[in-house]
């Protein structure tokens, strides 16, 4: 599961973008925890989440949302 595409992310409102970022970051944290404890079988999920976080941050930067 690759998560949201760049186009999906661009269609979000600023609030939705912030919400999605929080959700994906939490999911990524949990995946890293599972991975560290040896419980994660689909390690590709880690990269997918990381890429989604990067996509969201890119859109946030374009909108000037990272200057808080």
């Amino acid at each position: 599961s690759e998560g949201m595409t760049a186009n999906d992310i661009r269609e979000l409102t600023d609030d939705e973008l912030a919400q999605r970022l929080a959700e994906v970051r939490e999911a990524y944290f949990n995946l890293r925890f599972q991975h560290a404890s040896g419980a994660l079988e689909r390690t590709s999920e880690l990269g997918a989440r990381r890429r989604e976080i990067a996509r969201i941050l890119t859109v946030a930067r374009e909108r000037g949302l990272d200057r808080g």
Side-chain angles (χ1 to χ4, degrees):
S1 71
E2 183 59 22
M4 298 184 81
T5 66
N7 285 336
D8 292 337
I9 291 167
R10 283 181 207 293
E11 287 172 9
L12 298 177
T13 66
D14 290 356
D15 286 347
E16 288 169 337
L17 198 66
Q19 176 70 35
R20 183 68 187 167
L21 182 59
E23 288 168 7
V24 181
R25 276 188 163 150
E26 185 177 348
Y28 179 64
F29 179 82
N30 291 333
L31 283 171
R32 276 182 42 202
F33 194 79
Q34 287 175 38
H35 185 51
S37 63
L40 185 63
E41 288 170 14
R42 294 182 54 207
T43 52
S44 62
E45 281 290 311
L46 273 173
R49 290 297 140 250
R50 206 170 58 233
R51 282 190 298 279
E52 187 173 350
I53 291 169
R55 285 189 195 114
I56 293 170
L57 289 175
T58 298
V59 174
R61 265 184 225 111
E62 287 169 356
R63 296 184 188 181
L65 301 179
D66 61 330
R67 298 187 275 287

